[in-house]
Amino acid sequence: MNIITREEAVSPVVGVMLMLVVTIIIAAVVSSFSGSLANSNDAALKVSISVNLNEQYMSFEHLGGDPIPTKDLRIITYYTHPDGTMEKHEQSINSHLVPLGGDFDGKARVPVLTDVTKVGNPGDNPDADFGSYTWFTGGVLSTCTPEGTSDLLGFDIEDPANGYSRGSVIDVKIIHIPSQKYIFDREVICK
């Protein structure tokens, strides 16, 4: 008796299984690669910032964390006038220069870096203008004068019709442009 055994069917099944495994591995690699492309935004900075506001000026202090090129920042402020209208203003490297007035000669883009030893007096040196410097831990930025504060907030703080005084609330948001993430988002009360 001759017994004929056929093993032809085993080979195609193993071949199909191997091709299926290879296809799944390739799909996983492509998915992983394309997923990392979709999430290629820069990581948000890790930074701690304090913002203070009084009737004359506004200051920003870098308390710790990553250095920040100010060209990569946008400051957005919101203020509600006594008549209920909301004032929104954005400050970036593309904002105009403003005469600071007071003890400062010249124009500057606020908030300016207040480290006179590094950049000189605001208004005298464009390296002190917002967007022109890197903000390091311990660095303080300031609007310096009522004119500078008015420019940053988008309205004349000395005009009584705007109702700006102690107790006024300004919503301040600082956005890291490359990552499109907020690095500061709080209401600040004028003291």
Side-chain angles (χ1 to χ4, degrees):
M1 187 186 268
N2 275 343
I3 298 179
I4 301 175
T5 58
R6 292 186 164 190
E7 295 185 16
E8 295 173 6
V10 173
S11 180
V13 170
V14 170
V16 168
M17 293 300 287
L18 286 173
M19 288 184 63
L20 183 60
V21 168
V22 168
T23 303
I24 290 171
I25 291 171
I26 291 172
V29 168
V30 168
S31 174
S32 167
F33 178 72
S34 65
S36 67
L37 285 180
N39 295 327
S40 66
N41 287 344
D42 292 340
L45 298 173
K46 293 178 181 156
V47 65
S48 178
I49 298 170
S50 171
V51 178
N52 294 298
L53 177 65
N54 68 25
E55 293 180 278
Q56 301 294 311
Y57 67 91
M58 189 172 203
S59 65
F60 302 79
E61 184 176 359
H62 188 306
L63 301 174
D66 298 327
I68 310 168
T70 55
K71 67 181 177 55
D72 292 341
L73 298 180
R74 186 169 66 234
I75 300 172
I76 303 172
T77 58
Y78 297 89
Y79 173 71
T80 303
H81 292 276
D83 65 3
T85 60
M86 180 168 287
E87 185 85 35
K88 175 186 176 188
H89 187 262
E90 293 189 24
Q91 196 78 346
S92 70
I93 190 171
N94 299 319
S95 297
H96 64 278
L97 300 174
V98 61
L100 289 176
D103 295 335
F104 302 97
D105 294 328
K107 295 180 175 184
R109 186 178 310 104
V110 293
V112 296
L113 184 60
T114 59
D115 189 345
V116 177
T117 60
K118 286 185 181 175
V119 295
N121 288 322
D124 293 342
N125 186 349
D127 290 340
D129 293 347
F130 184 73
S132 300
Y133 52 84
T134 298
W135 192 18
F136 292 95
T137 298
V140 177
L141 316 181
S142 177
T143 56
C144 295
T145 64
E147 292 84 358
T149 304
S150 295
D151 183 64
L152 184 69
L153 299 179
F155 63 91
D156 184 359
I157 66 168
E158 297 184 306
D159 182 350
N162 289 319
Y164 178 79
S165 62
R166 286 186 181 181
S168 293
V169 177
I170 306 291
D171 187 12
V172 179
K173 300 178 186 308
I174 303 176
I175 298 173
H176 179 241
I177 297 168
S179 67
Q180 288 299 306
K181 303 233 174 145
Y182 291 111
I183 59 172
F184 185 88
D185 184 5
R186 292 192 189 103
E187 288 184 342
V188 180
I189 299 172
C190 179
K191 297 176 184 175

